[in-house]
Amino acid sequence: MIPAAFEYSRATTLDEAIGLLSDGGEDAKLLAGGHSLLPLMKLRLAAPTLLVDIGRLADLSYIRENGDRISVGALTRHRDVETSDVLRTHAPLLAHVAGQVGDPQVRHRGTIGGSIAHGDPASDLPAACLALGATFTVVGPRGERQIAASDFFRGFLETALEPDEVLTEIGVEKTTGAGWSFQKFNRRAQDWAIVGVAAVGGSRPGVALVNMGPTPLRAGAVEQALADGASAPEAASHASDGLDPPEDLNASAEYRRHLAQVLVRRALEEAGAA
Amino acid sequence: MRVTIRVNGDVEEHEVEPRLLLVHYLRDVVGLTGTNIGCDTSSCGACTVLVAGESVKSCTMLAAQADGTDITTIEGLASGDQMHPVQEAFREHHALQCGYCTPGMVMAAVSLIAENGELDEAQVREGLEGNLCRCTGYHNIVQAVLAASRVPSTSAS
């Protein structure tokens, strides 16, 4: 399978990337690791006329401690998130989830920013960011802005990013020592989750769901039940409240609702969040 | 566009279309057909090569993205008649049936061992999750990679 023809520009600075995106209009797309975009282009489900390759912007690949927060550059590869001692200690959910994405080859190329900007409801890292209450930094021709993860995912493969904006950083509060859990239910090792659950305990508990709707989702009804003092099984019984999960060859909507309740209960118990 | 890529130690310079995939570049432009195309959807791992020493699925990377990098394919592993320890272990343990997945399995294993050194069985099975064997001949593949990971020189190669 061969993608439709496109122009290719490699950006050497963030400003250059933003300029190229602005000039390219709506049919320009950013290319980082390419592990979400290139498969879509090969299937001709996406056919951008210009690819702006930001894969060489090394100054967007970093993991930094800032007091009680950690900043992760958007071009940090899954492999580097997975093996980071700082993240394993202070945001272990994020490091663990990065290690669950795809397979080792995918994790050598794919980036955390690419996964989030793609906004796929079936991908793992957006749910981890939602559970952790992450903040995303985006930069465009009108300057820089911060977007809460819970405001970022708008519709199927649709995010709050404008076409000429670049996601540059993922910021999370440290959850050092807090319980956490990631439940990924799939049939084959490298598959997407049929349903997944990311949960953090501690002082600011968060629960988020993979593949339970058109976007990565916070499990709001579960979080509310926890805040009201519910036990893990009680809170988990609200896992699919108000949700309209997809149906596909792996699972009916009803089976996904059942899975979400079972997996949320397991996640809450493992994270000690109830 | 013009790309300069070091493939198995030789510098290659070619004019390519931006949409040319790395696997097609290696097979059709450079003429190295040891790297196979399997699923073509970044699932099966048959097209695995090393980019800067790390395993990558070459069906999901543009030749343009590989510009300026160092690539190793299955053809570049042996030193003359001396097979790479992972290749040697695959022969010793009969770690192939039809052989289609073998180049990708070997390249993924080389990267896995370089990153982790000596492995246990669970690490091998998880580390090869991105490579599918259509013969389901995993048992001997796992034995071969376990054995290769115990060869002291493998991690350094």
Side-chain angles (χ1 to χ4, degrees):
Chain A
M1 296 180 293
I2 296 167
F6 53 83
E7 300 277 317
Y8 172 94
S9 290
R10 187 181 301 142
T12 52
T13 65
L14 178 60
D15 284 346
E16 189 187 356
I18 293 166
L20 286 164
L21 266 188
S22 304
D23 295 345
E26 296 238 341
D27 288 330
K29 287 289 281 181
L30 287 180
L31 177 70
H35 274 54
S36 298
L37 182 58
L38 291 177
L40 286 182
M41 290 173 62
K42 289 173 69 180
L43 293 166
R44 306 272 176 130
L45 295 172
T49 53
L50 170 69
L51 282 192
V52 177
D53 186 354
I54 54 171
R56 305 281 171 101
L57 299 185
D59 53 357
L60 286 184
S61 173
Y62 56 82
I63 296 163
R64 289 186 197 130
E65 284 185 77
N66 301 312
D68 61 356
R69 295 187 66 82
I70 303 174
S71 307
V72 180
L75 286 175
T76 310
R77 303 176 311 161
H78 303 319
R79 163 84 189 160
D80 298 320
V81 174
E82 175 188 1
T83 56
S84 156
D85 287 334
V86 168
L87 290 174
R88 282 177 170 176
T89 304
H90 299 298
L93 173 68
L94 197 60
H96 173 80
V97 170
Q100 299 297 305
V101 177
D103 53 52
Q105 290 95 316
V106 169
R107 297 196 288 272
H108 284 145
R109 293 289 305 163
T111 65
I112 186 169
S115 173
I116 289 163
H118 187 52
D120 189 331
S123 60
D124 302 325
L125 282 163
C129 288
L130 284 168
L132 288 164
T135 304
F136 304 142
T137 304
V138 309
V139 181
R142 297 161 300 282
E144 178 181 305
R145 61 193 181 113
Q146 313 280 326
I147 307 172
S150 51
D151 296 329
F152 188 75
F153 303 104
R154 296 283 172 86
F156 183 67
L157 302 184
E158 195 187 322
T159 70
L161 271 176
E162 296 293 335
D164 54 3
E165 286 182 317
V166 182
L167 171 61
T168 58
E169 188 176 281
I170 293 86
V172 293
E173 252 181 56
K174 287 183 180 174
T175 50
T176 322
W180 59 275
S181 177
F182 187 63
Q183 303 286 327
K184 182 173 183 175
F185 189 89
N186 55 13
R187 294 219 161 96
R188 297 179 308 178
Q190 59 179 235
D191 275 348
W192 306 94
I194 295 173
V195 173
V197 179
V200 198
S203 55
R204 289 188 320 104
V207 184
L209 301 168
V210 180
N211 222 352
M212 278 296 288
T215 67
L217 291 164
R218 271 180 77 172
V222 175
E223 291 178 340
Q224 187 57 51
L226 290 175
D228 294 342
S231 66
E234 284 165 2
S237 71
H238 296 286
S240 55
D241 284 8
L243 300 184
D244 187 18
E247 307 218 16
D248 55 32
L249 59 89
N250 282 314
S252 64
E254 187 189 355
Y255 179 52
R256 279 202 163 85
R257 286 194 196 94
H258 169 73
L259 269 181
Q261 294 179 24
V262 172
L263 296 175
V264 166
R265 178 178 52 74
R266 289 179 190 169
L268 295 178
E269 285 169 355
E270 188 177 30
Chain B
M1 66 176 292
R2 201 146 191 89
V3 294
T4 306
I5 303 175
R6 187 185 289 270
V7 183
N8 300 332
D10 296 330
V11 177
E12 302 278 347
E13 222 184 312
H14 297 278
E15 192 66 31
V16 301
E17 262 194 285
R19 63 173 167 171
L20 182 71
L21 299 169
L22 179 59
V23 69
H24 291 139
Y25 168 81
L26 293 170
R27 290 177 57 89
D28 304 338
V29 179
V30 185
L32 295 172
T33 53
T35 303
N36 287 336
I37 300 173
C39 69
D40 206 7
T41 59
S42 54
S43 301
C44 80
C47 66
T48 300
V49 300
L50 306 184
V51 178
E54 294 178 317
S55 59
V56 161
K57 291 177 174 177
S58 60
C59 76
T60 309
M61 183 168 174
L62 302 171
Q65 291 175 287
D67 184 27
T69 65
D70 233 310
I71 290 186
T72 309
T73 69
I74 190 73
E75 290 93 339
L77 276 189
S79 323
D81 290 338
Q82 182 65 45
M83 283 201 291
H84 186 278
V86 175
Q87 291 174 305
E88 195 67 63
F90 268 61
R91 183 169 75 174
E92 184 68 26
H93 292 266
H94 193 67
L96 67 160
Q97 292 180 35
C98 84
Y100 201 85
C101 71
T102 309
M105 283 285 181
V106 169
M107 300 314 285
V110 168
S111 177
L112 182 67
I113 294 169
E115 280 173 355
N116 298 287
E118 189 172 336
L119 303 164
D120 61 31
E121 183 174 335
Q123 286 175 303
V124 174
R125 288 184 181 274
E126 285 206 1
L128 294 180
E129 69 176 315
N131 293 74
L132 304 180
C133 167
R134 64 185 181 184
C135 311
T136 70
Y138 294 103
H139 180 83
N140 286 0
I141 293 171
V142 173
Q143 297 310 311
V145 178
L146 276 174
S149 81
R150 297 188 190 114
V151 177
S153 63
T154 316
S155 309
S157 64

